Amino acid sequence: MMHWFEGPLAAFHTETTGVDVEEDRIVSAALVVQDTAGGRPRVTRWLVSPGIPVPVGATEIHGLTDDHLQRNGRWPAPVVEEMARALAEQCAKGRPLVVMNAPFDLTLLDRELKRHRASSLAAYLVNAPLCVLDPRVLDKHLDRCRKGSRTLTDLCELYGVVRDGTRDAAAEAAASLELVRAVGRRFSARLERLSPAELHSLQAVWHAAQARGPQAWFEEGGTPEAVDPAWPLRPELPAAA
């Protein structure tokens, strides 16, 4: 029997203007679909002209400048709808969706849909609920005592996922997909009997537990910063009175 980590997977990744899911914008995204481990991936790419300036710090990370995006990017409204429909299509086919640090990418897409389509990600997934595999959450739970950073770069190095050095949304999505397969293989004794749907539910619990540690640290230091325990999508902030 083929285990889920050797079978069909899809991976989604965004590049953005910053790290604030409520205010920042998507500048590029990619969906990578693979029917079996080692199979040829199918890649869909999107390039977006976000309608706001791209900070220098963001450009230094992903290499996308204002000029390039204005010349080659598309207006956000139709693009974010294409992204949402593409994710819904994968969910409808029962293909697990790999998203590294899912609450960031999925929440950002949800807010872009609200901003440009007066809609939400949930509206596109009403008949096909999300089934997400987040390598960051999986690794933190399965190897919780390990010290050190758990960025995509760090985890790929740890799990032996070879990357080609490209820093774009498609390369990051492909790396996330291979990383989930590598995590599944390393911890197969603990994961192979769980379905992706079961893992989706468990990750919500694991992520909430993982958020408690940083939150306690912030509170002890008198920092007002809050760590959101929601996964894989953060709830919408209440409207200001």
Side-chain angles (χ1 to χ4, degrees):
M1 181 183 68
M2 179 183 292
H3 301 307
W4 62 262
F5 46 83
E6 304 292 356
L9 293 175
F12 179 68
H13 185 84
T14 65
E15 298 291 346
T16 69
T17 60
V19 297
D20 185 340
V21 296
E22 303 297 338
E23 299 296 334
D24 279 305
R25 312 296 174 88
I26 295 173
V27 297
S28 71
L31 179 69
V32 175
V33 180
Q34 191 179 44
D35 293 327
T36 186
R40 184 174 182 177
R42 301 186 296 280
V43 182
T44 303
R45 294 177 173 86
W46 295 276
L47 193 64
V48 187
S49 180
I52 65 171
V54 180
V56 173
T59 296
E60 289 175 349
I61 292 173
H62 49 58
L64 297 171
T65 65
D66 278 325
D67 181 66
H68 179 77
L69 292 169
Q70 290 172 12
R71 290 175 179 271
N72 301 285
R74 296 165 57 202
W75 184 244
V79 184
V80 295
E81 179 169 27
E82 288 176 16
M83 293 177 195
R85 291 190 182 280
L87 298 191
E89 180 182 357
Q90 297 306 313
C91 292
K93 292 179 178 178
R95 189 174 281 120
L97 186 65
V98 176
V99 189
M100 175 73 179
N101 192 17
F104 178 78
D105 292 78
L106 296 181
T107 303
L108 195 62
L109 176 57
D110 178 77
R111 303 310 192 256
E112 288 278 56
L113 289 164
K114 177 185 177 183
R115 183 177 294 118
H116 296 290
R117 306 296 302 184
S119 187
S120 67
L121 185 55
Y124 291 86
L125 299 168
V126 63
N127 295 317
L130 279 170
C131 180
V132 176
L133 298 171
D134 187 333
R136 186 171 184 269
V137 175
L138 291 171
D139 174 73
K140 287 187 73 172
H141 177 77
L142 295 165
D143 198 359
R144 65 184 71 183
C145 295
R146 192 183 77 250
K147 304 294 184 182
S149 176
R150 298 178 194 253
T151 66
L152 181 58
T153 298
D154 294 323
L155 293 180
C156 284
E157 182 176 351
L158 176 69
Y159 285 90
V161 174
V162 178
R163 305 174 71 185
D164 62 7
T166 306
R167 180 62 169 87
D168 64 12
E172 300 293 89
S176 299
L177 189 151
E178 292 302 325
L179 178 57
V180 158
R181 294 199 190 280
V183 172
R185 292 173 189 133
R186 179 171 296 189
F187 295 99
S188 60
R190 298 167 64 181
L191 296 178
E192 64 186 8
R193 296 183 182 180
L194 294 169
S195 69
E198 290 170 328
L199 275 173
H200 177 97
S201 298
L202 286 169
Q203 286 169 100
V205 177
W206 296 344
H207 181 271
Q210 291 162 10
R212 286 198 290 269
Q215 187 64 66
W217 187 85
F218 285 135
E219 290 173 355
E220 288 176 4
T223 304
E225 186 169 350
V227 180
D228 197 323
W231 183 96
L233 187 67
R234 296 177 189 172
E236 190 172 332
L237 292 176

